[in-house]
Amino acid sequence: MGLIMLILIGTVPTAYALNHAVTFKESQDFIAVSQQAANALDHYVEPDAVIGDARDDVTDYIRTKQFNANTMLAMRTLVNDIGNETTIYRELKNVPNDRVRNFRNDLYLVSEALRLTQKSGQPKFSAADAAILANYKKHVDRSTRFIPTWVKVAVAMALGLGTMVGWKRIVVTVGEKIGKEHLTYAQGAAAEITAMATIGAADGFGLPVSTTHVLSSGIAGTMAANHSGIQMSTVRNLALAWVLTLPVAMVLSGSLFWLFRKIF
Amino acid sequence: MATASSVLDAKISRSPGKIGMIVFGIVLVIGFAYAGSHLLSDLSTIHNESVLPYVLLGVALLVALAFEFVNGFHDTANAVATVIYTHSLEPHVAVVWSGFWNFLGVMASSGLVAFAIVSLLPVELILQVGNKAGFAMVFALLVAAIIWNLGTWYFGLPASSSHTLIGSVIGVGIANQMMSPKTGTSGVDWGQAANIGKSLLLSPLVGFGVAALLLLLAKSLIKDEKLYRAPEDTQPPPFLYPLSAGTDLHRREFLPRLQ
């Protein structure tokens, strides 16, 4: 859905770059919160910081993840600019068409920069300032990170339709091509409980664990424990597919990107 | 891996039926009509002389929905496999049930997840998403993911759509770096690739080990022969089966933690 939003923002920015559902009152709150955020950031601006192009400086920070002497000044400048512009336009839907894209970009940059400072702990914000900035970031994200309900409905429909059309192939592999004997009640339950528990635990560690991987391996495990035998050819293919997923996706998308850039 | 000689066919006790198909069709039509009408009303406020942006929008949306469609092949399928083979639910019922949970999962998602993927992309491409480079990025991501997901599905190999998407994101990052060396060297988040590597090592081991132990534990504690034999005909299990449809909801939650 994030990519669909990128498409919408790219093709019709005037309708989707900024969340038009943000109310007048929320915008007024935002102006106040921006003021607080700018004051908070002021505490951390280096005395020898040089004023440059604020947008470029913050973009560099996000790209390189290297915090330097000018970063904080640039961030504060962007926060100030955004606050001032909101004061002028009073509401997001009043932002003029030729300003929409830049306004959105400024909001995106500030939000990403704040996320990086939170994550890296550099600079070390005081508890009070950190709270002010977190609140500010929430307001910023409300303006740019939104998904209209119709997009969710369309995505859910496409997913559902896909499942109805294509479920059989995968189900047959998981259900009967891994073990040599028919799945028993206990085996099914054991694999399923394992998948549920592992996904829950993996969340805590922040690892991108896939239900697919755990469940398929779980079935193989119950087949082994039961001395039912495992179909090695399937296991080999599965392992190959799982290991290849990342590199193949990388090569495919990289080449396609290169190709599209050359053609268009 | 042909599905023709599958045991599955014997398990399908009835066809979805006319009524089922009609209901499903109606839901689809209402859903897409709802989405389409909202899109049109959003667009009606814009006055644009050129048709090109609309054509681009249409094509891009179709590709993006095709990506979700192919995701659907993989996603729910592995969640219903054990439910079907233990006869806890009739196959069609299981698929619809899982689809229902998936729908709720998408509707309930805050967008945090969706935007987490976006923030992994090269920032300069995000900022110029309306330019050619931005569109090249979006199409490269979607088409690459569609190809791999469709290919693995064709061979009946369940793969992880999230790993595919993260791989695509990294690929675009590398290509972007090589094509514009000036704009920096750290546009690629290798930490994500490392995480995937770790999970690739851990998930099969943990899944295999824990499930095997659970089964042995069950065997020593619960002495009911019926549980450890293949189901007879289409008899459902003698206990309440843990339905995994909910794990799909879960899957959508793990991405925000990636950042």
Side-chain angles (χ1 to χ4, degrees):
Chain A
M1 285 189 291
L3 292 178
I4 294 188
M5 288 317 294
L6 279 187
I7 292 169
L8 291 172
I9 294 158
T11 44
V12 271
T14 43
Y16 297 109
L18 298 169
N19 188 358
H20 289 180
V22 172
T23 61
F24 176 73
K25 173 154 188 320
E26 283 174 304
S27 296
Q28 298 313 301
D29 288 347
F30 179 66
I31 294 169
V33 174
S34 297
Q35 193 57 51
Q36 292 174 359
N39 291 341
L41 289 177
D42 229 6
H43 302 154
Y44 307 94
V45 172
E46 308 266 339
D48 55 344
V50 184
I51 296 182
D53 184 325
R55 205 174 286 152
D56 286 351
D57 285 351
V58 177
T59 309
D60 280 343
Y61 170 52
I62 294 167
R63 190 173 53 228
T64 61
K65 301 187 174 58
Q66 300 298 317
F67 190 85
N68 66 36
N70 298 333
T71 309
M72 199 39 81
L73 179 62
M75 278 171 70
R76 198 208 59 192
T77 311
L78 274 190
V79 170
N80 264 336
D81 288 353
I82 294 167
N84 290 340
E85 281 201 87
T86 315
T87 312
I88 295 168
Y89 302 130
R90 307 213 327 274
E91 259 185 284
L92 287 182
K93 52 174 173 262
N94 297 337
V95 177
N97 287 352
D98 56 343
R99 280 288 307 141
V100 163
R101 215 184 277 269
N102 281 334
F103 196 70
R104 184 201 154 78
N105 282 350
D106 288 350
L107 286 165
Y108 181 84
L109 287 174
V110 163
S111 171
E112 280 298 288
L114 284 174
R115 185 175 69 83
L116 282 179
T117 56
Q118 278 168 2
K119 194 177 143 199
S120 66
Q122 191 193 12
K124 190 100 197 78
F125 292 120
S126 72
D129 288 339
I132 288 172
L133 293 172
N135 179 40
Y136 173 72
K137 183 173 181 298
K138 214 182 290 163
H139 277 81
V140 171
D141 290 346
R142 165 105 173 98
S143 320
T144 56
R145 302 192 176 195
F146 64 101
I147 298 177
T149 310
W150 71 263
V151 171
K152 292 185 185 176
V153 170
V155 165
M157 292 281 153
L159 261 175
L161 195 61
T163 301
M164 311 271 168
V165 171
W167 61 278
K168 257 195 195 174
R169 277 176 195 270
I170 306 288
V171 166
V172 167
T173 303
V174 175
E176 55 189 271
K177 295 255 162 83
I178 292 177
K180 280 185 178 159
E181 285 174 15
H182 193 291
L183 201 69
T184 66
Y185 297 125
Q187 285 175 324
E192 203 62 61
I193 292 169
T194 306
M196 282 186 187
T198 323
I199 296 298
D203 264 359
F205 293 108
L207 281 182
V209 166
S210 151
T211 353
T212 313
H213 296 173
V214 180
L215 187 75
S216 310
S217 317
I219 289 179
T222 64
M223 287 294 167
N226 208 30
H227 303 293
S228 309
I230 292 172
Q231 301 190 31
M232 283 319 285
S233 63
T234 308
V235 171
R236 229 182 355 254
N237 286 340
L238 280 180
L240 202 64
W242 295 350
V243 171
L244 285 181
T245 295
L246 188 79
V248 172
M250 276 167 61
V251 170
L252 272 176
S253 77
S255 323
L256 283 169
F257 179 72
W258 178 83
L259 187 73
F260 292 155
R261 292 288 282 135
K262 287 288 167 208
I263 298 176
F264 302 112
Chain B
M1 294 191 187
T3 52
S5 62
S6 156
V7 198
L8 184 67
D9 294 329
K11 299 185 190 303
I12 299 177
S13 57
R14 53 172 190 260
S15 75
K18 250 195 192 134
I19 296 173
M21 293 302 258
I22 291 172
V23 170
F24 184 57
I26 291 174
V27 170
L28 269 184
V29 169
I30 293 177
F32 282 117
Y34 170 81
S37 69
H38 274 262
L39 175 62
L40 286 180
S41 85
D42 285 346
L43 292 181
S44 66
T45 55
I46 301 159
H47 305 287
N48 217 335
E49 276 120 54
S50 150
V51 229
L52 190 69
Y54 299 114
V55 175
L56 195 58
L57 175 66
V59 174
L61 279 184
L62 275 184
V63 176
L65 289 179
F67 165 70
E68 300 291 351
F69 178 72
V70 177
N71 267 355
F73 288 12
H74 281 272
D75 269 13
T76 318
N78 70 72
V80 294
T82 65
V83 179
I84 290 174
Y85 280 88
T86 53
H87 299 284
S88 305
L89 290 174
E90 198 274 337
H92 291 111
V93 178
V95 170
V96 170
W97 175 245
S98 174
F100 170 72
W101 279 100
N102 241 331
F103 184 82
L104 284 191
V106 174
M107 294 308 288
S109 73
S110 57
L112 254 179
V113 184
F115 289 111
I117 275 285
V118 170
S119 60
L120 295 177
L121 290 162
V123 61
E124 64 269 26
L125 291 183
I126 296 286
L127 296 183
Q128 27 168 321
V129 71
N131 299 1
K132 282 174 184 168
F135 282 110
M137 167 184 80
V138 171
F139 280 115
L141 289 172
L142 291 173
V143 176
I146 289 175
I147 293 174
W148 181 249
N149 283 342
L150 207 57
T152 47
W153 169 79
Y154 180 80
F155 290 105
L157 297 169
S160 162
S161 342
S162 318
H163 287 195
T164 312
L165 198 53
I166 294 171
S168 302
V169 167
I170 296 176
V172 165
I174 295 172
N176 178 55
Q177 221 175 75
M178 297 197 320
M179 292 181 76
S180 49
K182 188 169 63 76
T183 50
T185 48
S186 23
V188 179
D189 196 344
W190 287 108
Q192 304 305 330
N195 276 343
I196 286 187
K198 269 187 234 164
S199 93
L200 269 180
L201 283 178
L202 279 177
S203 347
L205 288 179
V206 172
F208 191 96
V210 174
L213 283 178
L214 262 182
L215 184 72
L216 294 177
L217 191 71
K219 274 189 167 175
S220 67
L221 291 180
I222 313 166
K223 302 280 179 207
D224 182 353
E225 274 302 306
K226 249 172 82 183
L227 295 182
Y228 311 104
R229 278 200 308 261
E232 285 164 31
D233 301 326
T234 54
Q235 232 178 18
F239 55 88
L240 192 63
Y241 191 84
L243 289 177
S244 76
T247 55
D248 258 18
L249 284 172
H250 231 122
R251 198 185 64 81
R252 287 173 201 292
E253 292 301 323
F254 80 65
L255 275 170
R257 317 233 177 178
L258 284 180
Q259 40 176 304

